[in-house]
Amino acid sequence: MSDLGKIDRQFFDRHVAPNLGADRDDVAVGPQHGVDFGVLEIGGQALVTATDPISIMPQLGLERAARFALDLVLADVAVSGIPPSHLSICFTLPETMTDDEFATVWETIHEECADLGVAVVTGHTARYTGPSHPWVGAATAMAVGNPDALVRPDGARPGDRLLLTTGPAVESVGLLSTLFADQLEDGLSADVIDDAQARLEEVYCVRGALAAAAAGPVTAMHDVTEGGLAGALNEMADGAGARFSVDRDAVPMRPGVREVCEHLEIDPWAATSSGSLLLAVAPEGVDDVVAALEDRDTVVAEIGRVEEPSGTDSDGEVVVDGDRLPHPSVDPSWRAYAELAASADE
């Protein structure tokens, strides 16, 4: 089991997967390690659902922090290709959070949900002794739609092209450079720090995921969160039982990312990067998907292709410039955050 962050696959397979409650016929996609969502089939409709923690970082400004937290939750159902439609949300607020501060967070969430067509259907809000920022609750996002429109997490097929939006480590670099700018000034120029901080404007991917799915055909889609691009590639390849062949030079690297990662000794391919989407797209749909994303001013690049597996193992594999790329055992952004936070407290 990883020390920090999500549990690893071995822990999931040993402790979680054998213990999933009742076996019901309406569960079309159940819990799987590295898969963003589950699916119920009810009355001819697909109900896509995903649950995530709510992280509010006041240092980002409450409105931006609330938008970021909501996008993280909704993204896990948006990658199904079915637009998010409902939200259940629970807040376990720290005692230090004022009514006015919570009102700002909640009104921002309301406005963003209204713009996306998402209705809040239930929830829980209370203050307790013990909770502290950033972890202030959890939420379940839902999407209801036609099962035929579902982009399955295991849907990548040999011959598909691999697209990546935005690039590796954008979230990690944007957050760390914003939260700990003073600590980075010793070793990085002001221009690099400014570039890195600007990456926080690229951490939103819900609308991009829906635009790509509508333009399709998209056969599989994954948001690049903990474990970074290396994790997302391995998880999608494992789901498909396919070989992903990737060209390292084709992967976009946004301004400020490489410099901050080198300074903090972070592998950008292993660091969390919300806002980045990994997509498998049928060849005939690549141009349309790229155009739909570029129309939204989203950086997107073709980084590789899906191939037949090289062996008989049902697990997939990822090769970058011919070399095997393993799934990261831990996300290095957690260590960097802890070290910078400790330095800031000194």
Side-chain angles (χ1 to χ4, degrees), residues 212-266:
V218 175
T219 59
M221 187 161 34
H222 197 0
D223 61 336
V224 182
T225 52
E226 286 189 52
L229 177 58
L233 284 164
N234 275 279
E235 288 161 5
M236 189 185 286
D238 283 348
R243 173 186 171 105
F244 283 15
S245 182
V246 177
D247 176 3
R248 183 177 294 274
D249 289 340
V251 172
M253 193 72 72
R254 301 295 291 141
V257 169
R258 192 182 309 277
E259 294 88 343
V260 171
C261 286
E262 289 177 353
H263 179 71
L264 297 176
E265 298 181 349
I266 290 174

Short mmCIF file of all heavy atoms in Angstrom, two decimals, residues 212-266:
data_model
loop_
_atom_site.label_atom_id
_atom_site.label_comp_id
_atom_site.label_asym_id
_atom_site.label_seq_id
_atom_site.Cartn_x
_atom_site.Cartn_y
_atom_site.Cartn_z
N ALA A 212 -14.83 16.44 -26.32
CA ALA A 212 -14.13 15.36 -27.03
C ALA A 212 -15.07 14.20 -27.30
O ALA A 212 -15.09 13.65 -28.42
CB ALA A 212 -12.93 14.90 -26.21
N ALA A 213 -15.85 13.81 -26.30
CA ALA A 213 -16.76 12.67 -26.48
C ALA A 213 -17.81 12.97 -27.54
O ALA A 213 -18.17 12.07 -28.33
CB ALA A 213 -17.43 12.34 -25.15
N ALA A 214 -18.29 14.20 -27.59
CA ALA A 214 -19.31 14.56 -28.59
C ALA A 214 -18.73 14.56 -30.00
O ALA A 214 -19.44 14.26 -30.97
CB ALA A 214 -19.88 15.94 -28.27
N ALA A 215 -17.44 14.86 -30.12
CA ALA A 215 -16.81 14.92 -31.44
C ALA A 215 -16.42 13.55 -31.94
O ALA A 215 -16.39 13.31 -33.14
CB ALA A 215 -15.59 15.84 -31.40
N GLY A 216 -16.08 12.64 -31.06
CA GLY A 216 -15.60 11.28 -31.21
C GLY A 216 -15.52 10.67 -32.61
O GLY A 216 -15.56 11.39 -33.59
N PRO A 217 -15.43 9.34 -32.71
CA PRO A 217 -15.60 8.41 -31.61
C PRO A 217 -14.38 8.28 -30.68
O PRO A 217 -13.28 7.98 -31.13
CB PRO A 217 -15.86 7.07 -32.30
CG PRO A 217 -15.19 7.21 -33.64
CD PRO A 217 -15.28 8.66 -34.01
N VAL A 218 -14.62 8.55 -29.39
CA VAL A 218 -13.65 8.31 -28.33
C VAL A 218 -13.96 6.94 -27.74
O VAL A 218 -15.10 6.67 -27.38
CB VAL A 218 -13.74 9.39 -27.23
CG1 VAL A 218 -12.81 9.06 -26.07
CG2 VAL A 218 -13.40 10.76 -27.81
N THR A 219 -12.98 6.07 -27.66
CA THR A 219 -13.21 4.71 -27.18
C THR A 219 -12.88 4.55 -25.70
O THR A 219 -13.39 3.63 -25.04
CB THR A 219 -12.40 3.69 -27.99
OG1 THR A 219 -11.00 4.01 -27.87
CG2 THR A 219 -12.79 3.73 -29.47
N ALA A 220 -12.03 5.40 -25.15
CA ALA A 220 -11.71 5.37 -23.72
C ALA A 220 -11.15 6.73 -23.33
O ALA A 220 -10.53 7.42 -24.16
CB ALA A 220 -10.71 4.26 -23.39
N MET A 221 -11.37 7.10 -22.07
CA MET A 221 -10.92 8.42 -21.61
C MET A 221 -10.62 8.32 -20.12
O MET A 221 -11.34 7.67 -19.36
CB MET A 221 -12.01 9.45 -21.91
CG MET A 221 -11.63 10.87 -21.64
SD MET A 221 -12.69 12.11 -22.50
CE MET A 221 -14.32 11.38 -22.51
N HIS A 222 -9.56 8.99 -19.68
CA HIS A 222 -9.11 8.92 -18.29
C HIS A 222 -8.54 10.27 -17.91
O HIS A 222 -7.74 10.85 -18.66
CB HIS A 222 -8.01 7.85 -18.19
CG HIS A 222 -7.72 7.36 -16.81
ND1 HIS A 222 -8.36 7.80 -15.67
CD2 HIS A 222 -6.82 6.43 -16.38
CE1 HIS A 222 -7.87 7.17 -14.61
NE2 HIS A 222 -6.93 6.33 -15.02
N ASP A 223 -8.96 10.81 -16.75
CA ASP A 223 -8.32 12.04 -16.30
C ASP A 223 -7.03 11.69 -15.57
O ASP A 223 -6.93 10.67 -14.89
CB ASP A 223 -9.26 12.90 -15.44
CG ASP A 223 -9.73 12.21 -14.18
OD1 ASP A 223 -9.74 10.96 -14.16
OD2 ASP A 223 -10.11 12.91 -13.23
N VAL A 224 -6.03 12.53 -15.76
CA VAL A 224 -4.68 12.23 -15.28
C VAL A 224 -4.54 12.79 -13.86
O VAL A 224 -4.16 13.94 -13.68
CB VAL A 224 -3.61 12.82 -16.22
CG1 VAL A 224 -2.21 12.47 -15.73
CG2 VAL A 224 -3.83 12.31 -17.65
N THR A 225 -4.85 11.96 -12.87
CA THR A 225 -4.78 12.42 -11.48
C THR A 225 -3.60 11.75 -10.79
O THR A 225 -2.50 11.76 -11.31
CB THR A 225 -6.12 12.19 -10.77
OG1 THR A 225 -6.52 10.82 -10.93
CG2 THR A 225 -7.20 13.08 -11.35
N GLU A 226 -3.81 11.19 -9.60
CA GLU A 226 -2.68 10.63 -8.86
C GLU A 226 -1.99 9.53 -9.67
O GLU A 226 -2.62 8.70 -10.28
CB GLU A 226 -3.15 10.06 -7.52
CG GLU A 226 -3.49 11.15 -6.51
CD GLU A 226 -3.75 10.56 -5.13
OE1 GLU A 226 -2.91 9.80 -4.64
OE2 GLU A 226 -4.81 10.89 -4.56
N GLY A 227 -0.67 9.57 -9.63
CA GLY A 227 0.12 8.66 -10.45
C GLY A 227 0.47 9.25 -11.79
O GLY A 227 1.26 8.68 -12.55
N GLY A 228 -0.13 10.39 -12.12
CA GLY A 228 0.26 11.14 -13.29
C GLY A 228 0.00 10.43 -14.61
O GLY A 228 -0.79 9.48 -14.71
N LEU A 229 0.69 10.89 -15.63
CA LEU A 229 0.52 10.33 -16.97
C LEU A 229 0.93 8.86 -17.01
O LEU A 229 0.28 8.04 -17.65
CB LEU A 229 1.34 11.14 -17.98
CG LEU A 229 1.33 10.63 -19.42
CD1 LEU A 229 -0.09 10.56 -19.98
CD2 LEU A 229 2.22 11.50 -20.30
N ALA A 230 2.01 8.52 -16.31
CA ALA A 230 2.46 7.12 -16.29
C ALA A 230 1.38 6.23 -15.68
O ALA A 230 1.11 5.13 -16.18
CB ALA A 230 3.76 7.00 -15.50
N GLY A 231 0.74 6.69 -14.61
CA GLY A 231 -0.33 5.92 -14.01
C GLY A 231 -1.54 5.80 -14.92
O GLY A 231 -2.11 4.71 -15.08
N ALA A 232 -1.93 6.91 -15.54
CA ALA A 232 -3.10 6.89 -16.41
C ALA A 232 -2.89 5.99 -17.62
O ALA A 232 -3.80 5.24 -18.02
CB ALA A 232 -3.42 8.32 -16.88
N LEU A 233 -1.72 6.03 -18.22
CA LEU A 233 -1.43 5.16 -19.36
C LEU A 233 -1.52 3.69 -18.96
O LEU A 233 -2.13 2.87 -19.67
CB LEU A 233 -0.03 5.46 -19.89
CG LEU A 233 0.13 6.73 -20.72
CD1 LEU A 233 1.60 7.12 -20.84
CD2 LEU A 233 -0.48 6.57 -22.12
N ASN A 234 -0.92 3.33 -17.84
CA ASN A 234 -0.95 1.94 -17.40
C ASN A 234 -2.35 1.48 -17.05
O ASN A 234 -2.75 0.35 -17.37
CB ASN A 234 -0.01 1.75 -16.21
CG ASN A 234 1.43 1.50 -16.63
OD1 ASN A 234 1.80 0.38 -16.97
ND2 ASN A 234 2.23 2.55 -16.62
N GLU A 235 -3.12 2.35 -16.38
CA GLU A 235 -4.47 1.96 -15.99
C GLU A 235 -5.37 1.76 -17.20
O GLU A 235 -6.16 0.80 -17.25
CB GLU A 235 -5.03 3.01 -15.03
CG GLU A 235 -4.37 2.97 -13.66
CD GLU A 235 -4.53 4.23 -12.84
OE1 GLU A 235 -5.24 5.15 -13.29
OE2 GLU A 235 -3.94 4.30 -11.74
N MET A 236 -5.26 2.64 -18.18
CA MET A 236 -6.09 2.49 -19.38
C MET A 236 -5.64 1.29 -20.20
O MET A 236 -6.47 0.54 -20.74
CB MET A 236 -6.05 3.77 -20.22
CG MET A 236 -7.06 3.75 -21.36
SD MET A 236 -6.95 5.19 -22.47
CE MET A 236 -7.66 6.45 -21.42
N ALA A 237 -4.34 1.06 -20.29
CA ALA A 237 -3.83 -0.09 -21.04
C ALA A 237 -4.24 -1.40 -20.37
O ALA A 237 -4.62 -2.37 -21.03
CB ALA A 237 -2.31 -0.01 -21.16
N ASP A 238 -4.17 -1.44 -19.02
CA ASP A 238 -4.58 -2.64 -18.31
C ASP A 238 -6.06 -2.94 -18.55
O ASP A 238 -6.46 -4.09 -18.74
CB ASP A 238 -4.33 -2.48 -16.81
CG ASP A 238 -2.86 -2.64 -16.44
OD1 ASP A 238 -2.08 -3.10 -17.29
OD2 ASP A 238 -2.50 -2.31 -15.30
N GLY A 239 -6.89 -1.89 -18.51
CA GLY A 239 -8.31 -2.09 -18.73
C GLY A 239 -8.59 -2.68 -20.09
O GLY A 239 -9.49 -3.54 -20.25
N ALA A 240 -7.84 -2.26 -21.09
CA ALA A 240 -8.06 -2.73 -22.46
C ALA A 240 -7.32 -4.03 -22.76
O ALA A 240 -7.61 -4.68 -23.77
CB ALA A 240 -7.61 -1.65 -23.45
N GLY A 241 -6.36 -4.41 -21.91
CA GLY A 241 -5.53 -5.56 -22.21
C GLY A 241 -4.72 -5.36 -23.47
O GLY A 241 -4.50 -6.28 -24.26
N ALA A 242 -4.24 -4.12 -23.67
CA ALA A 242 -3.57 -3.75 -24.91
C ALA A 242 -2.19 -3.16 -24.61
O ALA A 242 -1.84 -2.88 -23.46
CB ALA A 242 -4.40 -2.73 -25.68
N ARG A 243 -1.44 -2.98 -25.66
CA ARG A 243 -0.12 -2.34 -25.58
C ARG A 243 -0.27 -0.89 -26.04
O ARG A 243 -0.80 -0.63 -27.13
CB ARG A 243 0.88 -3.08 -26.47
CG ARG A 243 2.25 -2.42 -26.63
CD ARG A 243 3.05 -3.21 -27.67
NE ARG A 243 4.29 -2.56 -28.06
CZ ARG A 243 5.50 -2.93 -27.66
NH1 ARG A 243 5.63 -3.96 -26.84
NH2 ARG A 243 6.58 -2.30 -28.07
N PHE A 244 0.17 0.05 -25.21
CA PHE A 244 0.19 1.46 -25.57
C PHE A 244 1.62 1.84 -25.93
O PHE A 244 2.52 1.73 -25.10
CB PHE A 244 -0.28 2.33 -24.41
CG PHE A 244 -1.78 2.35 -24.19
CD1 PHE A 244 -2.60 1.41 -24.78
CD2 PHE A 244 -2.35 3.31 -23.38
CE1 PHE A 244 -3.98 1.42 -24.58
CE2 PHE A 244 -3.72 3.34 -23.16
CZ PHE A 244 -4.54 2.40 -23.76
N SER A 245 1.81 2.27 -27.16
CA SER A 245 3.13 2.69 -27.63
C SER A 245 3.15 4.21 -27.72
O SER A 245 2.36 4.81 -28.45
CB SER A 245 3.42 2.08 -29.01
OG SER A 245 4.70 2.45 -29.45
N VAL A 246 4.06 4.85 -26.95
CA VAL A 246 4.05 6.29 -26.76
C VAL A 246 5.36 6.89 -27.22
O VAL A 246 6.44 6.33 -27.00
CB VAL A 246 3.80 6.64 -25.27
CG1 VAL A 246 3.85 8.15 -25.04
CG2 VAL A 246 2.46 6.07 -24.81
N ASP A 247 5.27 8.05 -27.86
CA ASP A 247 6.42 8.84 -28.30
C ASP A 247 6.66 9.95 -27.27
O ASP A 247 5.85 10.86 -27.14
CB ASP A 247 6.14 9.43 -29.69
CG ASP A 247 7.25 10.34 -30.18
OD1 ASP A 247 8.28 10.49 -29.50
OD2 ASP A 247 7.07 10.94 -31.27
N ARG A 248 7.75 9.88 -26.53
CA ARG A 248 8.01 10.84 -25.45
C ARG A 248 8.06 12.27 -25.98
O ARG A 248 7.54 13.20 -25.35
CB ARG A 248 9.31 10.50 -24.73
CG ARG A 248 9.61 11.42 -23.54
CD ARG A 248 10.87 10.99 -22.83
NE ARG A 248 10.73 9.69 -22.19
CZ ARG A 248 10.23 9.51 -20.96
NH1 ARG A 248 9.81 10.56 -20.27
NH2 ARG A 248 10.16 8.30 -20.46
N ASP A 249 8.68 12.47 -27.12
CA ASP A 249 8.83 13.83 -27.65
C ASP A 249 7.50 14.45 -28.07
O ASP A 249 7.41 15.68 -28.20
CB ASP A 249 9.79 13.83 -28.84
CG ASP A 249 11.24 13.59 -28.42
OD1 ASP A 249 11.54 13.79 -27.23
OD2 ASP A 249 12.05 13.20 -29.29
N ALA A 250 6.48 13.62 -28.28
CA ALA A 250 5.18 14.15 -28.69
C ALA A 250 4.36 14.66 -27.52
O ALA A 250 3.36 15.36 -27.72
CB ALA A 250 4.40 13.07 -29.44
N VAL A 251 4.75 14.31 -26.30
CA VAL A 251 3.98 14.70 -25.11
C VAL A 251 4.18 16.19 -24.83
O VAL A 251 5.32 16.64 -24.68
CB VAL A 251 4.41 13.86 -23.89
CG1 VAL A 251 3.75 14.37 -22.61
CG2 VAL A 251 4.06 12.39 -24.13
N PRO A 252 3.11 16.97 -24.76
CA PRO A 252 3.25 18.40 -24.51
C PRO A 252 3.73 18.67 -23.09
O PRO A 252 3.36 17.98 -22.15
CB PRO A 252 1.84 18.96 -24.73
CG PRO A 252 0.93 17.79 -24.48
CD PRO A 252 1.68 16.58 -24.91
N MET A 253 4.59 19.69 -22.95
CA MET A 253 5.07 20.11 -21.64
C MET A 253 4.83 21.60 -21.52
O MET A 253 5.40 22.40 -22.25
CB MET A 253 6.57 19.79 -21.49
CG MET A 253 7.08 19.91 -20.07
SD MET A 253 6.49 18.58 -18.97
CE MET A 253 7.43 17.18 -19.59
N ARG A 254 3.95 21.99 -20.61
CA ARG A 254 3.55 23.37 -20.49
C ARG A 254 4.64 24.23 -19.83
O ARG A 254 5.47 23.72 -19.08
CB ARG A 254 2.24 23.46 -19.69
CG ARG A 254 1.10 22.69 -20.31
CD ARG A 254 0.69 23.27 -21.65
NE ARG A 254 0.05 24.57 -21.49
CZ ARG A 254 0.23 25.60 -22.30
NH1 ARG A 254 1.06 25.52 -23.32
NH2 ARG A 254 -0.40 26.73 -22.08
N PRO A 255 4.63 25.54 -20.10
CA PRO A 255 5.67 26.42 -19.55
C PRO A 255 5.74 26.35 -18.03
O PRO A 255 4.72 26.35 -17.34
CB PRO A 255 5.22 27.82 -20.00
CG PRO A 255 4.42 27.57 -21.25
CD PRO A 255 3.73 26.27 -21.02
N GLY A 256 6.96 26.26 -17.53
CA GLY A 256 7.20 26.22 -16.09
C GLY A 256 7.21 24.84 -15.50
O GLY A 256 7.75 24.63 -14.40
N VAL A 257 6.64 23.85 -16.18
CA VAL A 257 6.51 22.52 -15.60
C VAL A 257 7.86 21.83 -15.45
O VAL A 257 8.21 21.34 -14.37
CB VAL A 257 5.55 21.65 -16.44
CG1 VAL A 257 5.62 20.19 -15.99
CG2 VAL A 257 4.12 22.17 -16.32
N ARG A 258 8.62 21.81 -16.52
CA ARG A 258 9.90 21.09 -16.47
C ARG A 258 10.83 21.69 -15.41
O ARG A 258 11.46 20.97 -14.63
CB ARG A 258 10.58 21.13 -17.85
CG ARG A 258 11.75 20.17 -17.96
CD ARG A 258 12.42 20.30 -19.33
NE ARG A 258 11.49 20.20 -20.42
CZ ARG A 258 11.06 19.06 -20.93
NH1 ARG A 258 11.46 17.92 -20.40
NH2 ARG A 258 10.23 19.06 -21.95
N GLU A 259 10.89 23.04 -15.37
CA GLU A 259 11.82 23.70 -14.45
C GLU A 259 11.44 23.43 -12.99
O GLU A 259 12.31 23.15 -12.16
CB GLU A 259 11.83 25.20 -14.71
CG GLU A 259 12.39 25.61 -16.07
CD GLU A 259 11.33 25.65 -17.17
OE1 GLU A 259 10.25 25.05 -16.96
OE2 GLU A 259 11.59 26.27 -18.21
N VAL A 260 10.16 23.53 -12.66
CA VAL A 260 9.74 23.29 -11.28
C VAL A 260 9.96 21.83 -10.89
O VAL A 260 10.42 21.52 -9.79
CB VAL A 260 8.27 23.70 -11.07
CG1 VAL A 260 7.76 23.25 -9.71
CG2 VAL A 260 8.13 25.21 -11.21
N CYS A 261 9.63 20.92 -11.80
CA CYS A 261 9.81 19.50 -11.50
C CYS A 261 11.29 19.16 -11.29
O CYS A 261 11.64 18.41 -10.36
CB CYS A 261 9.23 18.64 -12.62
SG CYS A 261 7.41 18.58 -12.62
N GLU A 262 12.16 19.73 -12.10
CA GLU A 262 13.59 19.48 -11.91
C GLU A 262 14.07 20.05 -10.58
O GLU A 262 14.85 19.43 -9.85
CB GLU A 262 14.39 20.08 -13.07
CG GLU A 262 14.20 19.32 -14.38
CD GLU A 262 14.94 19.96 -15.54
OE1 GLU A 262 15.49 21.08 -15.35
OE2 GLU A 262 14.97 19.36 -16.63
N HIS A 263 13.59 21.26 -10.24
CA HIS A 263 14.00 21.90 -8.99
C HIS A 263 13.56 21.08 -7.78
O HIS A 263 14.30 20.98 -6.79
CB HIS A 263 13.39 23.30 -8.92
CG HIS A 263 13.73 24.05 -7.68
ND1 HIS A 263 14.99 24.54 -7.41
CD2 HIS A 263 12.95 24.40 -6.61
CE1 HIS A 263 15.00 25.15 -6.24
NE2 HIS A 263 13.77 25.08 -5.73
N LEU A 264 12.36 20.50 -7.83
CA LEU A 264 11.82 19.73 -6.70
C LEU A 264 12.12 18.24 -6.81
O LEU A 264 11.69 17.46 -5.96
CB LEU A 264 10.30 19.94 -6.62
CG LEU A 264 9.84 21.36 -6.33
CD1 LEU A 264 8.31 21.44 -6.38
CD2 LEU A 264 10.36 21.84 -4.98
N GLU A 265 12.86 17.85 -7.84
CA GLU A 265 13.22 16.45 -8.07
C GLU A 265 11.97 15.57 -8.17
O GLU A 265 11.85 14.52 -7.54
CB GLU A 265 14.17 15.94 -6.98
CG GLU A 265 15.49 16.70 -6.96
CD GLU A 265 16.45 16.19 -5.90
OE1 GLU A 265 16.02 15.39 -5.04
OE2 GLU A 265 17.62 16.60 -5.92
N ILE A 266 11.03 16.06 -8.99
CA ILE A 266 9.79 15.34 -9.26
C ILE A 266 9.83 14.81 -10.69
O ILE A 266 10.21 15.53 -11.62
CB ILE A 266 8.58 16.29 -9.12
CG1 ILE A 266 8.33 16.67 -7.66
CG2 ILE A 266 7.31 15.68 -9.71
CD1 ILE A 266 7.24 17.70 -7.50
#
